[in-house]
Amino acid sequence: MARLTPIDTAYFKSERAGDFAVIGSAVPRSDARAHVTGRTVFFEDMAPPEMTHVKIHRSTRHHALINRVDVSGALGVPGVLRVITHQDVPNNWYTVLRLIGVGPDDEPVLAEDRVLYRGEPIVAVVAETEDAAREGAARVTVDYTDLPAVFDVEEALADGAPIIKQAGANHFAYEGHHCRRIRFGDVERGFAEADRIIEGHYSSSPIEHAPTEPTGCIVVPQGDGRLRIHTNTQAAFFTLDNTALILGVPPTSLRVVGGTVGGGFGGKVDVIVEPLACIAAMLTGRPAKYVYSRAEEMQVSSPRAAERISIKDGVMDDGRIVARKITLYVDAGAYSRHSPYGTTKAAAHMPGPYTIPNVHVDAYCVYTNRTPSSAMRGFGVTIGDFALESHMDRIARELNMDPLRLRLKNAYRDGDMKAHRKIASGTALVEVIQSAADLVGHDLPPEYRAMSSTERPEG
């Protein structure tokens, strides 16, 4: 029987006594001692014999046709063993979200006849040493025909914009619609009945995760024909299944060994390095290591998506919001990755934790010739919260109203119908605001102190 650690014992004692001895206390991280003493094992601590190294020749264009790829220079570098092109990838087209039914497969593991962003992988070079692989990748030459590029989400959706996706549109389609939509009540009638209209526009730039440890893996062929993948992925089974699909092999032929992630924040849930390292190991019969340089981590790993959000509210002079219309654009970059899901999350988070009788939301997942974006710490919600709460402060200023009272007046209560036609429950927002006011010494009148998340005040 496993023995309880002192932390475990403290937890169970607190549960029995009801005194929360752990919650609210400083509890040491379970992995802290190994980190500070240098005993934590990362994937790069692996050093299998005869390990090869993989480096990538990447696109120097934002949008272009590939006329010709010449790998002879790479093959002439001493120590270079193989050059991998898209023809060596059994199933070259994929999207990581296909495991949950999101399609189509819109991204190549290695570019075929075109590139859609600067830094897109075209050729992988496998060599005896990292320096030889890097030199080999640098000696690959590509002949391009440049195509018009688009870098702005609204320009990408405008009439006459260059179409960059082979599907024929610069947006992801949600059940046949051009965007993820919410329709609740009659927003135009709400605007007509409102005392005033208050509008705001909010935006963010892409945000790089900048982990201490760059993305990478080491793949080791096993005697039974399986491949053992040592990786710093944040999603071991996601990596296992997607890699198996790309390689065209059963998942049982792969073994993913996870472990410590030297900084992730969502940036290591894409399946980018493992398939190519596996192919290198299969072609050479030797272990293969593929890890981003710091420059690659900053340039081509998926950032948090840039977003652009416009909010138009119909507001009564007493602070009640009676209509809210939101147009939201998520810049997916060149390929889908996790952005269609992030856009759905963004739409699901609207119109915020407030009960508003008339709501209209259009949330677009837009493709541009920028680095593909993906997951990062609450993606789809974080930037939306910034916009929503900045807008609530804007309303408060225009009404000359206490921003906490504005939020309390509009906060959803248990039993309210949300814009997604779900009944709110366990809301507690009113009590959280009241407690926050106490913590900072913010005075609230008695009628606001008396408010509760379990009942809505009259009027």
Side-chain angles (χ1 to χ4, degrees):
M1 179 177 178
R3 296 179 61 186
L4 294 177
T5 67
I7 294 175
D8 294 328
T9 304
Y11 173 80
F12 287 114
K13 283 182 178 177
S14 71
E15 284 292 290
R16 286 195 294 267
D19 60 2
F20 296 106
V22 172
I23 296 173
S25 302
V27 177
R29 285 176 56 107
S30 61
D31 56 1
R33 184 176 297 277
H35 285 351
V36 300
T37 58
R39 285 182 281 186
T40 299
V41 177
F42 296 88
F43 89 92
E44 283 199 274
D45 291 320
M46 284 278 300
E50 299 189 311
M51 183 170 71
T52 65
H53 298 264
V54 178
K55 291 297 178 183
I56 306 299
H57 181 87
R58 299 183 179 278
S59 167
T60 59
R61 305 293 203 274
H62 294 287
H63 190 203
L65 295 175
I66 296 174
N67 301 321
R68 181 171 176 268
V69 178
D70 184 354
V71 301
S72 59
L75 292 171
V77 174
V80 168
L81 301 171
R82 292 291 300 253
V83 172
I84 301 171
T85 70
H86 67 85
Q87 294 175 326
D88 298 302
V89 184
N91 297 304
N92 194 45
W93 288 86
Y94 78 110
T95 186
V96 291
L97 289 180
R98 59 183 166 179
L99 299 181
I100 58 172
V102 176
D105 294 340
D106 76 327
E107 181 171 6
V109 175
L110 292 173
E112 295 184 1
D113 66 336
R114 67 192 64 215
V115 290
L116 299 191
Y117 69 97
R118 183 170 180 169
E120 182 163 358
I122 300 174
V123 167
V125 175
V126 188
E128 297 278 4
T129 67
E130 188 173 5
D131 286 344
R134 187 181 297 110
E135 177 66 19
R139 292 198 183 186
V140 173
T141 59
V142 180
D143 179 53
Y144 299 97
T145 297
D146 288 319
L147 297 172
V150 60
F151 303 106
D152 181 87
V153 287
E154 291 182 80
E155 290 178 8
L157 297 179
D159 292 340
I163 301 300
I164 68 171
K165 300 296 286 184
Q166 295 186 41
N170 291 340
H171 61 78
F172 184 83
Y174 292 94
E175 291 83 43
H177 298 292
H178 58 291
C179 62
R180 180 64 81 189
R181 310 183 307 163
I182 299 171
R183 303 291 186 265
F184 185 71
D186 185 338
V187 74
E188 295 302 327
R189 185 182 66 188
F191 289 148
E193 294 174 351
D195 292 325
R196 63 182 75 195
I197 302 297
I198 301 175
E199 298 186 67
H201 306 280
Y202 310 90
S203 64
S204 66
S205 298
I207 302 173
E208 166 56 35
H209 309 78
T212 302
E213 174 201 42
T215 302
C217 71
I218 294 172
V219 176
V220 183
Q222 302 298 289
D224 60 1
R226 300 173 76 199
L227 296 176
R228 190 175 72 232
I229 306 168
H230 296 265
T231 173
N232 57 13
T233 180
Q234 292 178 254
F237 288 97
F238 215 53
T239 295
L240 172 70
D241 291 342
N242 269 300
T243 302
L245 288 170
I246 289 168
L247 299 180
V249 299
T252 52
S253 67
L254 307 175
R255 179 189 172 201
V256 172
V257 181
T260 303
V261 178
F265 323 111
K268 290 175 179 171
V269 298
D270 295 324
V271 185
I272 305 296
V273 295
E274 294 87 358
L276 285 174
C278 284
I279 292 170
M282 293 165 70
L283 291 175
T284 63
R286 294 168 55 178
K289 178 180 180 179
Y290 176 16
V291 59
Y292 282 171
S293 66
R294 178 57 58 190
E296 286 176 310
E297 187 69 54
M298 297 300 292
Q299 180 190 356
V300 300
S301 69
S302 304
R304 182 193 294 279
E307 296 185 34
R308 188 174 302 168
I309 303 171
S310 296
I311 304 175
K312 178 180 179 181
D313 280 354
V315 183
M316 307 306 290
D317 287 335
D318 64 0
R320 286 177 296 121
I321 303 171
V322 295
R324 173 163 282 178
K325 184 176 184 178
I326 297 172
T327 304
L328 183 151
Y329 303 95
V330 172
D331 188 346
Y335 297 110
S336 292
R337 297 196 184 171
H338 286 81
S339 292
Y341 171 56
T343 306
T344 293
K345 287 173 63 181
H349 197 60
M350 301 299 162
Y354 306 107
T355 294
I356 300 172
N358 304 290
V359 176
H360 181 290
V361 178
D362 283 344
Y364 296 84
C365 177
V366 186
Y367 299 111
T368 65
N369 294 114
R370 305 179 83 169
T371 302
S373 59
S374 196
M376 184 181 186
R377 301 298 292 242
F379 69 110
V381 172
T382 311
I383 304 303
D385 269 341
F386 151 73
L388 289 167
E389 297 310 318
S390 296
H391 197 69
M392 293 297 284
D393 287 342
R394 181 190 295 266
I395 295 171
R397 288 193 298 271
E398 291 210 20
L399 296 179
N400 194 27
M401 185 176 184
D402 177 350
L404 293 191
R405 298 185 200 180
L406 173 69
R407 287 169 168 86
L408 285 167
K409 184 179 287 286
N410 290 283
Y412 58 6
R413 269 73 168 176
D414 290 359
D416 284 354
M417 177 67 75
K418 297 196 288 185
H420 314 89
R421 292 174 174 79
K422 302 291 184 181
I423 300 297
S425 63
T427 53
L429 177 59
V430 170
E431 290 74 17
V432 168
I433 294 173
Q434 292 166 339
S435 296
D438 290 338
L439 286 171
V440 299
H442 187 97
D443 184 52
L444 290 174
E447 63 269 28
Y448 287 88
R449 287 283 175 193
M451 287 181 174
S452 165
S453 290
T454 59
E455 57 184 277
R456 176 166 294 283
E458 296 182 4

